């Protein structure tokens, strides 16, 4: 079910027309649907039934504090990768005892902040990091609850930039090193082994890579148990894909059931944590943009819009496909094939190639599936101000982030003295 639908030829978010949002808040602008976020989160939650679980929403996918707050109200946990993300979670009312902290390069001060806030698990990605966690915990006089993020060397069959669980990736501890790392951790005075974690990649559209990784993780759990090292939580990461372009990823039920079946088949009845980002947020938002000009060369038509690669980086960085649709459907205008390009002075500033559209200057377009890894990756290249973010809730709209202003753009910069 989509919360972005046409009504009488006009695209709506829930009960609000997107053209009215563009008029009120300007473009470019990200628009989210509250019900979309909630529905996705609840689908995962319900799929677990009464199996003990924690949904640790991956903050990196969309970290607006209004989004985090909505999910916290549902009882969500969070997967964080920086002190900044933990501060956002706390500001949004999230419960640190449901937070897992991933990332390959956590600094000492970030670890100290996380330990002081008693997060559920520091997901350690190297033996060197284990030593650092022990040292920071000792200094603070606390015990760090940890998991190792293992790297099962499974191909998630997704874009190479978002594949994280293969041996050539920088992420996680290899399976060969993991056993010894657990044995070492179990001997450390300020470390308590809590779980095992695994995240193999993102935008995964079938269950088999997840099942393959789970199999490897469960074998490790059993090996550790035989050594007297008890794992209390399986953190199976994020990665469930969404429909950008007609993909048919597993449903929440299929995804969760494959995990539960996998652990039952091994006789391992452990609580499960997952770290979904894109599944919850990806199709919960769109980006609105306005056509500034059209331009027609001998071999190309361009729709030049007011949003660029600084606002939505995914097409330029990953050759990612986002549907681009008119906010007001037209029946009369001529359809032509356009490259939808932005204002940034880079040839890569393209939102979509070869799109069949009937557009003219002044028209509004919606770039779909822009709720995940979109605003969070926006930047100020070409001294462009980052867009506004708006949350639709039924028939009301809430500005959840103002468009940046010029003072904010140069805040922190100073001139040299005379
Ligand atoms: N857990 C860990 C440790 C992760 O590294 C990630 C994503 C997630 C969970 C959430 O994965 P998800 O459920 O969203 O697939 N910027 C890229 C995606 C990068 C993903 C990085 N890690 C994109 O726009 O496609």
């Amino acid at each position: 079910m989509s919360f972005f639908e046409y009504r009488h030829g006009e695209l709506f978010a829930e009960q609000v027309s997107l053209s009215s949002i563009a008029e009120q808040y300007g473009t470019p602008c990200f628009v989210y649907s509250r019900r979309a976020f909630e529905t996705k989160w609840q689908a995962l939650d319900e799929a677990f039934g009464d199996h003990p679980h924690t949904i640790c929403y991956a903050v990196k996918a969309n970290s607006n504090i209004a989004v985090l707050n909505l999910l916290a109200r549902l009882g969500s946990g969070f997967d964080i990768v920086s002190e900044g993300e933990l501060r956002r979670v706390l500001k949004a009312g999230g419960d640190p005892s449901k937070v897992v902290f991933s990332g390959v390069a956590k600094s000492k001060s970030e670890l100290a902040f996380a330990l002081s806030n008693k997060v559920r698990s520091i997901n350690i990605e190297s033996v060197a990091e284990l030593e650092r966690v022990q040292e920071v915990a000792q200094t603070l006089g606390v015990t760090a609850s940890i998991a190792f993020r293992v790297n099962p060397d499974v191909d998630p069959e997704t874009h190479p930039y978002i594949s994280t669980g293969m041996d050539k990736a920088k992420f996680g501890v290899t399976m060969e090193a993991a056993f010894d790392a657990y044995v070492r951790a179990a001997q450390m005075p300020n470390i308590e082994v809590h779980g095992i974690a695994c995240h193999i990649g993102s935008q995964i559209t079938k269950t088999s890579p997840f099942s393959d990784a789970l199999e490897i993780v469960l074998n490790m759990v059993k090996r550790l148990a035989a050594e007297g090292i008890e794992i209390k939580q399986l953190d199976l990461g994020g990665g469930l894909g969404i429909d950008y372009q007609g993909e048919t990823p597993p449903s929440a039920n299929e995804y969760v059931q494959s995990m539960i079946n996998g652990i039952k088949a091994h006789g391992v009845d452990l609580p499960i944590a997952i770290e979904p980002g894109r599944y919850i947020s990806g199709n919960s938002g769109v980006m609105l943009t306005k056509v500034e000009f059209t331009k027609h060369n001998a071999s190309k038509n361009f729709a030049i819009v007011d949003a660029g690669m600084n606002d939505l980086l995914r097409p330029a960085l990953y050759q990612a496909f986002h549907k681009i649709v008119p906010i007001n459907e037209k029946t009369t205008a001529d359809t032509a094939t356009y490259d939808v390009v932005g204002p940034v002075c880079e040839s890569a500033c393209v939102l979509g190639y070869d799109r069949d559209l009937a557009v003219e200057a002044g028209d509004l377009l919606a770039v779909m599936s822009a709720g995940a890894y979109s605003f969070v990756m926006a930047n100020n290249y070409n001294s462009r101000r980052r867009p506004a973010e708006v949350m639709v809730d039924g028939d009301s709209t809430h500005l959840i982030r103002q468009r940046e202003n010029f003072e904010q753009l140069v805040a922190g910069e100073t001139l040299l003295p005379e």
Side-chain angles (χ1 to χ4, degrees):
M1 164 168 204
S2 173
F3 293 90
F4 298 91
E5 277 177 348
Y6 284 100
R7 295 186 182 188
H8 310 296
E10 205 186 337
L11 193 57
F12 274 63
E14 300 191 21
Q15 262 68 263
V16 183
S17 81
L18 292 178
S19 54
S20 71
I21 294 180
E23 195 175 322
Q24 186 171 358
Y25 301 102
T27 53
C29 170
F30 285 90
V31 182
Y32 307 124
S33 152
R34 175 180 183 167
R35 287 296 298 140
F37 280 102
E38 292 178 337
T39 302
K40 291 292 185 167
W41 191 94
Q42 280 160 341
L44 285 170
D45 188 48
E46 281 159 21
F48 276 101
D50 48 19
H51 189 91
H53 64 279
T54 313
I55 298 173
C56 296
Y57 169 70
V59 172
K60 64 171 83 66
N62 184 323
S63 58
N64 188 292
I65 57 171
V67 169
L68 304 184
N69 172 256
L70 289 183
L71 299 177
R73 289 195 221 178
L74 297 178
S76 192
F78 297 94
D79 164 51
I80 58 156
V81 291
S82 69
E83 178 176 339
E85 287 190 349
L86 180 52
R87 288 186 183 275
R88 283 179 176 275
V89 168
L90 297 173
K91 196 173 169 72
D95 176 355
S97 76
K98 293 185 190 167
V99 166
V100 297
F101 189 2
S102 311
V104 288
K106 305 173 198 80
S107 70
K108 286 185 184 174
S109 65
E110 285 182 307
L111 287 168
F113 187 72
L115 291 175
S116 311
N117 280 286
K118 302 191 175 58
V119 300
R120 176 178 299 181
S121 176
I122 308 283
N123 289 357
I124 294 181
E125 303 220 16
S126 62
V127 177
E129 188 188 353
L130 171 67
E131 306 287 341
R132 178 175 286 187
V133 174
Q134 161 57 31
E135 186 191 320
V136 175
Q138 188 161 28
T139 310
L140 291 174
V142 298
T143 301
S145 161
I146 67 115
F148 281 102
R149 172 177 176 184
V150 296
N151 182 335
D153 192 17
V154 165
D155 185 353
E157 298 171 47
T158 182
H159 192 281
Y161 284 12
I162 50 178
S163 296
T164 48
M166 293 166 79
D167 64 357
K168 57 186 182 211
K170 68 179 177 181
F171 298 101
V173 178
T174 61
M175 297 318 293
E176 300 80 68
F179 182 77
D180 290 345
Y182 271 106
V183 172
R184 170 107 187 85
Q187 294 159 348
M188 286 181 158
N190 296 78
I191 299 286
E192 184 198 315
V193 171
H194 176 73
I196 187 164
C198 173
H199 170 82
I200 55 172
S202 199
Q203 184 54 12
I204 299 169
T205 52
K206 42 189 180 179
T207 47
S208 51
F210 293 113
S211 309
D212 293 349
L214 178 61
E215 197 70 19
I216 294 167
V217 168
L218 290 172
N219 284 330
M220 179 59 69
V221 171
K222 290 202 257 183
R223 226 182 123 192
L224 292 168
E227 193 68 16
I229 298 174
E230 191 202 343
I231 294 295
K232 302 187 190 78
Q233 173 177 274
L234 291 174
D235 174 345
L236 300 176
L240 181 56
I242 62 166
D243 175 7
Y244 285 99
Q245 194 182 3
E247 299 91 332
T248 50
S251 66
N253 256 321
E254 288 164 336
Y255 168 68
V256 170
Q257 275 314 312
S258 81
M259 288 175 191
I260 294 181
N261 293 343
I263 71 167
K264 295 227 160 108
H266 275 259
V268 176
D269 198 15
L270 285 174
I272 297 176
I274 53 171
E275 304 170 358
R278 192 189 313 266
Y279 175 79
I280 290 172
S281 57
N283 276 325
S284 301
V286 302
M287 182 178 73
L288 305 187
T289 184
K290 190 174 83 204
V291 179
E292 296 284 9
F293 305 106
T294 58
K295 183 160 151 177
H296 307 275
N297 290 353
S299 62
K300 275 280 178 198
N301 298 309
F302 296 100
I304 307 176
V305 298
D306 65 358
M309 65 187 287
N310 72 296
D311 304 298
L312 181 66
L313 185 58
R314 302 193 69 254
L317 190 58
Y318 314 115
Q319 299 78 47
F321 182 94
H322 288 256
K323 280 185 194 149
I324 302 176
V325 299
I327 284 177
N328 291 294
E329 283 180 319
K330 286 188 192 167
T331 45
T332 49
D334 290 338
T335 298
T337 304
Y338 287 90
D339 283 358
V340 181
V341 301
V344 171
C345 300
E346 295 269 353
S347 301
C349 184
V350 178
L351 298 178
Y353 290 100
D354 296 327
R355 304 304 176 88
D356 291 336
L357 291 165
V359 283
E360 55 195 347
D363 285 357
L364 292 167
L365 299 174
V367 182
M368 306 305 286
S369 312
Y373 305 110
S374 296
F375 182 87
V376 283
M377 291 171 71
N379 59 70
N380 297 120
Y381 187 37
N382 281 200
S383 285
R384 289 169 51 78
R385 298 171 296 149
R386 284 180 297 169
E389 292 177 285
V390 173
M391 178 76 74
V392 173
D393 182 6
D395 58 6
S396 48
T397 59
H398 303 274
L399 181 63
I400 58 169
R401 192 181 209 278
Q402 298 172 344
R403 185 178 309 285
E404 252 172 347
N405 61 39
F406 287 109
E407 287 65 40
Q408 289 166 328
L409 261 191
V410 291
E413 297 181 30
T414 42
L415 302 178
L416 293 184
E418 290 284 314

